[in-house]
Amino acid sequence: MHVDQKERDRRARARLILIGYPVVILLVSVVVDVFVLGVEPLVFAAPSAWSLRALIAASVLLVLNHTWIMTATELVRGRYRLQATPEEWTEAGLRAEDAPAEGVRELQRCHNLHRNSTENTVVFALLVLPFVMVSPSPTIAGVWIVGFAVARLGYTFAYLAKRTGVRGAFMTLSLLAMYGVATYLVAGLFL
């Protein structure tokens, strides 16, 4: 397959954006942590009440997000009579190979959303555990911890509403929160 110069240039720009995107978000998180919110030397202690409040609020929002995704998935299954397991297909008297293509695509969208949400939440949880143990200020805890959860809810809304630009903005905000926690921890080690 022959690829013309215009297409090669387009691919090169796309590659540059894909590589530059996380680097720019990381740099923004460093600027926000160091120059806006302020980083303090890490002192390990029991989590502050503010950190726990932020963690509880975020956890509740993430449970709501998970429930929303789970419900959306089951509604798609019901709308298109899609089953979850081979036994369910047999019990329903249906065959997976006869499933409508549109339904299979919509179910795949839900699965992709669920997978993306889980992947991001697990990584964030690993970062936030030591973060709350250094008791950041209430502002920093609220911005990064609750901000992540709110951004994930926005991402879910945009994904299910098929609003690509909005989805990208919320993905950027959730990454910014994740990188904000990471850069706070790393910067705090060196103060």
Side-chain angles (χ1 to χ4, degrees):
M1 179 172 122
H2 176 70
V3 179
D4 66 4
Q5 184 61 41
K6 191 174 184 179
E7 179 61 18
R8 282 195 298 274
D9 291 346
R10 188 197 66 75
R11 288 181 184 179
R13 276 191 307 279
R15 199 171 24 258
L16 183 62
I17 290 169
L18 288 172
I19 293 168
Y21 172 76
V23 173
V24 169
I25 296 171
L26 179 62
L27 292 174
V28 169
S29 74
V30 169
V31 168
V32 170
D33 271 339
V34 174
F35 299 109
V36 178
L37 298 175
V39 177
E40 298 175 13
L42 299 186
V43 177
F44 291 92
S48 69
W50 284 105
S51 291
L52 287 177
R53 285 183 187 111
L55 191 57
I56 290 166
S59 297
V60 169
L61 292 174
L62 291 169
V63 166
L64 291 172
N65 191 55
H66 175 76
T67 303
W68 189 3
I69 295 168
M70 174 188 71
T71 302
T73 302
E74 291 308 312
L75 288 171
V76 166
R77 277 199 176 108
R79 186 174 335 124
Y80 294 100
R81 299 188 69 203
L82 302 173
Q83 309 304 310
T85 65
E87 310 79 60
E88 289 178 7
W89 283 101
T90 301
E91 289 171 11
L94 300 168
R95 296 176 346 138
E97 29 311 327
D98 296 333
E102 179 184 5
V104 171
R105 282 191 304 275
E106 288 302 309
L107 186 59
Q108 185 62 43
R109 282 181 57 74
C110 290
H111 288 165
N112 289 343
L113 173 59
H114 192 119
R115 192 170 23 258
N116 181 280
S117 182
T118 301
E119 291 165 355
N120 280 273
T121 301
V122 167
V123 172
F124 187 75
L126 291 173
L127 284 168
V128 90
L129 288 175
F131 184 65
V132 298
M133 298 300 286
V134 299
S135 295
S137 74
T139 302
I140 293 170
V143 166
W144 291 145
I145 297 173
V146 177
F148 175 82
V150 170
R152 292 311 306 176
L153 280 166
Y155 182 89
T156 296
F157 163 76
Y159 195 95
L160 292 173
K162 300 178 181 176
R163 298 172 96 179
T164 303
V166 175
R167 178 178 58 89
F170 279 113
M171 186 67 211
T172 299
L173 291 173
S174 65
L175 282 174
L176 181 62
M178 194 179 311
Y179 291 178
V181 170
T183 59
Y184 183 92
L185 290 170
V186 172
L189 284 173
F190 295 104
L191 290 179

